[in-house]
Amino acid sequence: MSTDDRGAVTTGIARLHAAPGLAGPGRFGLVTNHTGVLPDLRPVAPALLDAGARLAALFGPEHGLHGTARAGAGEAAGTDPDTGLPVYDTYRCSGERLDKVLIDSGVDALVYDLQDIGARFYTYVWTMFDLMVSAARTGIRFLVADRPNPLGGLVCEGSLLDPVWASFVGRAPIPVRHGLTCGELARHLNSSAVPRAAGRAADLTVIEMAGWRRAMDAAATGLPWIAPSPNIPTPATAAVYPGTCLFEGTNLSEGRGTTQPFEIVGAPYIDARFAPALAELALPGVHFRDLRYRPAFHKHAGRPLRGVQLHITDREAFMPVRTAVAMLATLRRLHPDDFAWHTADEGAEDTGHRHFVDLLWGSDRLRRAVDAGDDPLPLCEPPAPPGRWAGDDVLLYA
């Protein structure tokens, strides 16, 4: 995208701030966290109160309302010191327990305002889904204050999740890289998965953005970048995450415990062959740099590792899921006795003895293909472009 195409996007929450009546009658709760800011970086909750909105409660996702919790954790419920509003922790809360939280909060509606990053296994969208299901069951209206998909909305990757492999890193059949905004995804889920789970659709309204186009990535929106979680510090991290998050299901470090999570992967057993082998694949839009590093925490903490850093050279050509799958197949070929899959990971629920990569991928087909030495790249093909797999009627932006 040229610089002439870049411009400020008005988010759904900025529109609500300018016109609080968009929330409809009664009191509403705000599902948000530290990413809930206006374009001038004012936190949304106090700004809405100052604008006269009937905001009555706050609801936090994974990492909590203020983003201080580690992966796989939320913040405790209590009172927000900045607004005096009650705070409810929704992380890993669903079913009747979540229904009770909504009823006890006394709100007439929920407004969802969280910055997603466009990957199926990023848990914010499943917090949205669980809340939509509870809202449908309890008769509470649900509004999505839409925000951009930082990867843009033209491309999706990966097959649909098999419901047998549903978990909190994937509740419903959508691709790994889904290509939708949260508002569009909410519309899709409300016409498919929500009625199956709740017996009826939610009373859903999307407060649309102004100025966002599907070709825009994060840099093109004119909006400030707020790290949506501790290990997604930059737009570059978000760009690789839909692929390299798959390494959470292996015995490799995915870069947690460094300043470049998900942009680097490594292990004690990797040798000098890895980077050249990846270069030979000529994967589009990315170069691989051989590197050594020592994570301060998480997998292999304190140990010297060798691996690669992904350097994106062409954002439009780069396919993160396809790239990571090729990396997994290459590792299995180079290090068959050392490479291994993990059976559980923090941040996932009900993993049992299942391989975590199967929950991330949405089936066991990727793991089985890699283990068999088959070409796994056909699995990366999406079911259709975003406007086809989700249904043209869910798209809100050109």
Side-chain angles (χ1 to χ4, degrees):
M1 175 172 291
S2 71
T3 55
D4 292 338
D5 294 325
R6 298 170 185 262
V9 170
T10 302
T11 60
I13 203 68
R15 292 187 58 215
L16 178 62
H17 176 256
L22 290 174
R27 307 188 317 152
F28 69 90
L30 182 64
V31 186
T32 193
N33 64 1
H34 58 289
T35 65
V37 298
L38 297 174
D40 61 5
L41 295 177
R42 279 183 295 164
V44 163
L48 286 173
L49 290 174
D50 290 344
R54 299 189 66 186
L55 176 59
L58 301 173
F59 298 80
E62 183 180 7
H63 308 294
L65 179 67
H66 301 289
T68 64
R70 62 173 175 82
E75 293 173 345
T79 301
D80 175 40
D82 295 332
T83 61
L85 296 174
V87 178
Y88 299 90
D89 179 22
T90 69
Y91 181 56
R92 291 190 176 180
C93 184
S94 60
E96 293 182 359
R97 181 178 161 213
L98 186 55
D99 294 352
K100 185 177 186 302
V101 168
L102 296 191
I103 293 169
D104 289 348
S105 72
V107 300
D108 303 293
L110 288 174
V111 174
Y112 176 93
D113 179 44
L114 289 169
Q115 179 60 64
D116 182 43
I117 61 171
R120 183 178 65 215
F121 27 67
Y122 205 63
T123 64
Y124 293 170
V125 295
W126 304 117
T127 289
M128 178 181 74
F129 172 75
D130 288 345
L131 286 166
M132 288 175 66
V133 170
S134 281
R137 285 197 295 247
T138 58
I140 291 173
R141 292 180 293 110
F142 197 90
L143 298 90
V144 176
D146 215 2
R147 287 185 176 271
N149 183 327
L151 306 182
L154 294 176
V155 178
C156 58
E157 294 183 79
S159 56
L160 299 178
L161 173 140
D162 181 339
V164 172
W165 298 94
S167 72
F168 196 52
V169 291
R171 293 276 200 225
I174 67 173
V176 174
R177 177 184 176 186
H178 52 72
L180 302 180
T181 69
C182 283
E184 292 173 331
L185 186 57
R187 283 160 59 94
H188 169 67
L189 294 172
N190 202 42
S191 67
S192 55
V194 171
R196 287 196 293 269
R200 64 177 67 87
D203 182 357
L204 173 67
T205 299
V206 177
I207 305 175
E208 298 177 30
M209 295 178 283
W212 190 75
R213 300 185 300 281
R214 309 203 77 79
M216 287 181 167
D217 63 9
T221 64
L223 296 172
W225 175 261
I226 308 295
S229 56
N231 286 292
I232 309 290
T234 69
T237 321
V240 298
Y241 176 82
T244 52
C245 182
L246 294 171
F247 284 89
E248 289 188 355
T250 73
N251 63 350
L252 277 83
S253 158
E254 64 275 9
R256 293 179 188 268
T258 77
T259 59
Q260 295 173 305
F262 300 108
E263 294 182 63
I264 62 177
V265 299
Y269 55 80
I270 290 178
D271 57 33
R273 296 174 294 165
F274 190 32
L278 294 176
E280 289 179 4
L281 299 177
L283 294 163
V286 63
H287 288 167
F288 299 94
R289 180 176 69 88
D290 179 60
L291 87 160
R292 294 169 174 81
Y293 66 99
R294 190 188 300 261
F297 57 86
H298 204 62
K299 294 180 191 171
H300 306 300
R303 299 182 65 184
L305 309 181
R306 189 168 190 171
V308 295
Q309 179 178 357
L310 287 75
H311 291 264
I312 299 176
T313 57
D314 184 334
R315 184 65 61 86
E316 293 184 4
F318 175 62
M319 304 293 280
V321 178
R322 185 179 184 86
T323 298
V325 166
M327 293 170 68
L328 290 169
T330 301
L331 279 163
R332 186 66 166 169
R333 175 173 59 83
L334 294 177
H335 301 283
D337 296 329
D338 296 303
F339 175 82
W341 307 102
H342 278 179
T343 56
D345 192 88
E346 63 181 5
E349 63 176 15
D350 301 327
T351 58
H353 296 290
R354 296 187 293 180
H355 291 279
F356 188 54
V357 74
D358 297 346
L359 302 183
L360 292 170
W361 187 255
S363 77
D364 62 357
R365 294 177 64 201
L366 172 64
R367 176 175 55 84
R368 291 183 180 277
V370 170
D371 284 349
D374 298 334
D375 180 7
L377 292 182
L379 301 177
C380 301
E381 295 301 321
R388 299 283 179 82
W389 78 259
D392 292 309
D393 58 331
V394 308
L395 297 188
L396 295 167
Y397 311 97

